[in-house]
């Protein structure tokens, strides 16, 4: 490692501000070493310094950049764009644009972070209205990247292919899989299933010579099975699939808690099985997968969950560092260039005309 | 009860044919009494009679209609339409059309069942390309009806409103809720979120004077919370949400089984807590919610899962009986008539123009 990787942090973002961001840096250093990584912390210098005093490992690799201004968690994106200049969130992104930092991490308001990131960094994928968000989804085989999970409400075939390109590079960089497999989410696995956008995206991925390991269509239950490394879908479907899954997971854990506290015998059994149940809990610990990069920007920005704890924020930092180190942006821009060169292939008149049940 | 309710059964459908269908009738009678209900069983008379001989309660209320012909579980819908005439599936639907039966139940091939039902019975909702399927989803508050979960790949605003009307009547008939609440599935709960189809559907439901208890937009995690009784969505999103949820539930139960058998101590704890875990399992038993009606037809057709057991098939029968008894078809056709009268309201130029993040 020659020159250090600089990660810019919005120290005031999220529900807890510096009291999670600074311990998050310390947690990152403890778990991942963090050799050759330094941090810029944007926000209230007094509050940040007070936290740094309690975390000497973080203190050694952090520089503080003071600002009084903060984007509120409930501020509307349009308002944040107009009034957010000079805030901790804004400055964290601005240093990426200026080349002073390799990536930014914020647990701030998602809408504001997307709007300000887009305003400052601009989109690199020309078809995208706004950055795509990728979710790291725990599966039977490890982790699957699912995108978009909420930013782009409607996506045409070309955008779906852009998601495939970005998701592949993300998974490679962060999960260390050399040749991630890619699937397009659909209502069936046969070629003629689904609406025109997914069929056309599948055709480009299959025939476009983009060099991705394209698996084919996958269905909803393939996500948790881990059938492929990267699942591509429009932001509407992806957001609903993700929140539906969160709802189901919470439903089952509520039922389980109720069952295991329902009477004395159940409580005794639960007590005895507790070490095993705890190990299981670790496999679906949200902190271990926290950190959703905003993809499609000219720069690396990672969104941490607003309520994440230090371990979760530390994981979001790890994702930012992995993306910064991996040459992710170069790889994506190279592949987006190859996609643009395919233009003639994407004419909709080539699309198969059969409907879902023919 | 004056004249009996007649339910027509495709005795050859599903993975097990008469060996599940006949015990399914017996299970229905045992759990739900079945007073005033009689059955027509379509299929191989010898095989059906052999099963009936083992189930005297079923024998007393069943008439057998012989046919040699069967639609295979893997037959393509187009082929089934051409060659299916006279099959057990076809005849079960035909008796509904002829007024000899009040409803049909089949565990046969979904695509064939939909195509043949549509061909024989015709759609009652003019905007629908094919029948909508409703899923009964277990929630913290009971059961929520989610539709469409797979039949219609693209749905405009009017179709979403038709789903709301059909879902409300279904939930009322089958789950006995007098005034079910209805929500439209979206990526956020604010009025300006989502694409034009959902915003326009929401506007018609809110302002159209259809008399439904319209709650507003709901998100993916609201399904398992049971926020509303009926969740309306297009068939693409609904199918993916349902299969994603099934995948997550299977993932968690696999992890749990692995955890609770991982060592001796865990096995002991699981053994002691087993009665409580079994009670929990009953709350999410797929047999207890099996049976998805095909909505939007001029007649009642209920699809049972191909792999359902006798208890599951019995529940599909219960749903068919409840729909037949409730005046479901009259109610839906009355409300679809009111929707048609609203036509001028549905002009897209009235739709709000804001996008998801304004």
């Amino acid at each position: 490692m020659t020159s250090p990787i600089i990660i810019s942090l919005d120290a005031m973002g999220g529900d807890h501000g510096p009291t999670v961001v600074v311990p998050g840096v310390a947690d990152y250093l403890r778990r991942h070493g963090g050799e050759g990584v330094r941090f810029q912390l944007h926000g209230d210098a007094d509050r940040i310094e007070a936290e740094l005093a309690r975390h000497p490992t973080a203190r050694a690799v952090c520089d503080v950049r003071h600002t009084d201004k903060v984007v509120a968690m409930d501020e509307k994106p349009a308002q944040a764009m107009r009034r957010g200049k000079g805030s901790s969130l804004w400055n964290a992104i601005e240093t990426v644009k200026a080349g002073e930092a390799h990536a930014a991490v914020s647990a701030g308001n998602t809408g504001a972070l997307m709007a300000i990131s887009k305003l400052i960094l601009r989109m690199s994928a020309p078809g995208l209205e706004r950055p795509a968000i990728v979710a790291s989804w725990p599966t039977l085989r490890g982790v699957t990247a699912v995108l978009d999970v909420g930013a782009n409400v409607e996506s045409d075939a070309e955008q779906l292919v852009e998601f495939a390109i970005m998701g592949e590079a993300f998974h490679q960089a962060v999960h260390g899989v050399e040749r991630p497999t890619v699937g397009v989410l659909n209502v069936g696995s046969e070629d003629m299933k689904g609406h025109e956008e997914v069929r056309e995206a599948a055709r480009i991925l299959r025939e476009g010579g983009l060099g991705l390991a394209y698996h084919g269509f996958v269905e909803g239950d393939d996500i948790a099975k881990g059938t492929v490394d990267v699942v591509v879908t429009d932001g509407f479907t992806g957001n609903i699939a993700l929140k539906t899954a969160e709802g189901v997971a919470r439903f089952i854990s509520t039922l389980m808690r109720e069952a295991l506290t329902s009477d004395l015998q159940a409580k005794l059994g639960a007590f005895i099985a507790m070490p095993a149940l705890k190990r299981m809990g670790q496999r679906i610990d949200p902190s271990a997968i926290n950190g959703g990069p905003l993809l499609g920007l000219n720069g690396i920005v990672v969104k941490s969950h607003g309520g994440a704890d230090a371990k979760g924020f530390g994981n979001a930092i790890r994702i930012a560092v992995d993306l910064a180190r991996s040459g992710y942006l170069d790889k994506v821009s190279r592949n987006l260039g190859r996609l643009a060169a395919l233009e003639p292939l994407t004419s909709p008149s080539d699309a198969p005309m059969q409907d879902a049940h023919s």
Side-chain angles (χ1 to χ4, degrees), chain A:
Chain A
M1 211 62 54
T2 49
S3 62
I5 298 276
I6 312 285
I7 306 294
S8 193
L9 305 179
D10 167 12
M12 311 311 282
D15 301 341
H16 312 289
T19 61
V20 155
V21 170
V22 171
V25 172
D27 192 273
Y28 165 75
L29 296 171
R30 193 163 56 79
R31 283 177 204 274
H32 304 286
E35 199 193 339
V37 181
R38 288 195 64 84
F39 298 88
Q40 271 180 13
L41 275 61
H42 297 266
D44 182 318
D46 288 349
R47 290 184 55 197
I48 297 171
E49 291 291 358
E51 282 299 321
L52 284 172
R54 303 171 52 204
H55 294 276
T57 56
R59 172 69 282 181
V61 293
C62 286
D63 302 309
V64 179
R65 305 280 181 101
H66 176 74
T67 176
D68 283 334
K69 212 164 164 182
V70 170
V71 173
M73 288 304 276
D74 57 356
E75 203 155 330
K76 293 259 173 279
Q79 204 175 42
M81 282 168 76
R82 275 196 312 274
R83 305 201 312 208
K85 195 162 185 177
S87 64
S88 61
L89 191 163
W90 185 289
N91 292 355
I93 307 297
E94 187 105 292
T95 53
V96 174
K97 168 74 180 174
E100 293 173 53
H102 297 86
V105 181
S106 173
N109 165 347
T110 309
L113 181 62
M114 278 212 274
I116 291 173
S117 298
K118 184 182 167 187
L119 182 72
I120 296 177
L121 295 171
R122 305 279 171 85
M123 301 306 296
S124 65
L128 291 185
E129 276 176 73
R130 49 181 75 88
I133 300 183
V134 54
S136 293
W137 194 300
T139 75
L140 287 173
R141 292 181 50 234
V143 176
T144 285
V146 181
L147 75 164
D148 178 24
V149 295
N152 295 277
V153 162
E154 278 168 301
S155 307
D156 63 20
E158 201 175 329
Q159 284 169 36
L160 292 172
V161 176
E162 290 170 3
F163 295 162
I165 288 171
M166 300 189 297
E168 186 215 23
F170 164 77
H171 201 272
Q172 216 166 34
V174 172
H175 299 296
V177 176
E178 202 169 317
R179 209 170 137 70
T181 53
V182 177
V184 172
L185 194 58
N186 199 351
V187 296
S189 54
E190 303 87 352
D191 279 356
M192 73 282 185
K193 287 268 184 177
H195 50 60
E196 196 182 304
E197 289 81 0
V198 293
R199 292 202 311 263
E200 174 66 2
R203 203 179 56 79
I204 299 172
L205 288 167
R206 206 171 44 232
E207 300 167 14
L210 291 168
L212 280 82
Y214 179 61
H215 167 93
F217 288 136
V218 293
E219 299 191 58
D221 53 343
D222 286 306
I223 304 176
K225 273 185 202 161
T227 304
V228 291
D229 296 314
V230 178
V231 171
V232 167
T233 186
D234 66 276
F236 186 83
T237 310
N239 175 283
I240 286 173
L242 178 66
K243 289 194 180 154
T244 298
E246 289 171 351
V248 169
R250 216 171 297 134
F251 169 66
I252 297 176
S253 78
T254 302
L255 291 191
M256 182 135 75
R257 211 175 12 253
E258 282 176 18
L260 293 179
T261 55
S262 57
D263 56 31
L264 256 177
Q265 184 182 339
K267 282 181 193 169
L268 175 65
F271 179 75
I272 294 171
M274 195 48 71
L277 292 173
K278 279 210 172 127
R279 284 195 302 275
M280 169 192 160
Q282 281 160 10
R283 284 186 65 182
I284 43 177
D285 175 8
S287 301
I289 51 165
N290 180 54
L294 307 191
L295 302 182
L297 294 162
N298 292 309
I300 297 167
V301 178
V302 176
K303 166 79 176 101
S304 167
H305 195 285
D309 60 10
K311 181 182 169 197
F313 197 85
N315 196 62
I317 291 174
R318 178 184 72 84
I319 289 175
V321 171
D322 286 350
L323 287 173
R325 272 215 179 111
S326 67
Y328 166 84
L329 287 176
D330 288 345
K331 176 162 190 205
V332 165
S333 89
R334 207 162 50 238
N335 279 342
L336 290 177
R338 286 164 74 186
L339 175 62
L342 290 180
E343 267 334 321
L345 246 181
T346 67
S347 111
S349 63
D350 295 343
M353 298 306 289
Q354 299 98 312
D355 79 358
H357 286 275
S358 61

